[in-house]
Amino acid sequence: MALEFREVTEDNYHEFVELEVKPDQKDNFYFKSVKPNTMTLAQAYIYPDRKVLAVYDDDTMVGSVFYTPEAETEGGEKIAWLTRLMLDQRYQGNGLGRRTMELLISKIRGHYGGQPVRLGLSYEPHNKVAEKLYTSLGFWPDSHICAGQIVVWLNIE
């Protein structure tokens, strides 16, 4: 099973916008929803420095990533930022989240050609699945909260 990123095009965008998370990952008391892929496409249009990619497992579209490959902190440090990782409800729970993150980390590493960079992201405090995934990949919290979410970082070299 080969996992890869592909551009969203006129040939696959219908499939892209039909991907959905599980019902309990949509808005509820403890969990702000994972935004639908229509929102991701709209935001990618408004923020051209961000990239949206479909995640494929062989020839099956299973999810999406929405990230900023190049940004800087106020101090001039190079960072990348993952805004959204989305896996369709049919493909959750079988390691694709981990594999997608590993692929994204590799992509960012290649983008920076071995130069140090930090990858940041945030997740809901009650999302223990996300916390376990990101911690197991080496992400560490920096004590910041962004829009009610825990901010974590990974050093990539």
Side-chain angles (χ1 to χ4, degrees):
M1 294 169 38
L3 200 69
E4 66 179 347
F5 295 130
R6 296 184 193 169
E7 297 289 327
V8 178
T9 67
E10 64 183 293
D11 295 327
N12 66 3
Y13 84 92
H14 286 290
E15 183 179 11
F16 185 81
V17 299
E18 289 175 2
L19 297 177
E20 289 188 341
V21 294
K22 294 177 182 178
D24 67 341
Q25 294 172 315
K26 296 179 181 178
D27 282 326
N28 66 47
F29 182 74
Y30 293 111
F31 194 86
K32 293 179 186 170
S33 69
V34 175
K35 302 298 182 216
N37 282 339
T38 52
M39 174 73 82
T40 300
L41 287 176
Q43 288 176 315
Y45 177 78
I46 293 169
Y47 302 107
D49 61 327
R50 298 181 190 177
K51 305 294 180 199
V52 59
L53 296 170
V55 180
Y56 279 83
D57 190 12
D58 289 327
D59 284 327
T60 302
M61 187 185 298
V62 298
S64 67
V65 294
F66 183 45
Y67 74 107
T68 306
E70 281 190 47
E72 287 186 12
T73 65
E74 289 179 8
E77 178 185 20
K78 298 283 186 189
I79 63 169
W81 185 263
L82 176 62
T83 301
R84 190 168 301 126
L85 164 63
M86 182 272 195
L87 289 176
D88 185 85
Q89 60 187 334
R90 297 169 291 174
Y91 308 107
Q92 294 181 17
N94 59 11
L96 284 175
R98 170 175 288 284
R99 290 177 53 210
T100 299
M101 285 302 301
E102 290 169 346
L103 186 60
L104 181 63
I105 291 165
S106 178
K107 184 172 186 63
I108 290 168
R109 182 179 289 119
H111 180 83
Y112 280 90
Q115 296 177 1
V117 61
R118 286 193 308 155
L119 172 59
L121 58 89
S122 64
Y123 63 89
E124 295 292 326
H126 295 91
N127 189 342
K128 298 303 178 189
V129 173
E131 179 181 26
K132 182 179 176 184
L133 170 64
Y134 299 133
T135 300
S136 73
L137 288 167
F139 282 84
W140 47 270
D142 71 354
S143 76
H144 284 89
I145 302 294
C146 178
Q149 296 187 341
I150 297 170
V151 176
V152 294
W153 296 95
L154 177 70
N155 293 325
I156 302 173
E157 295 191 31

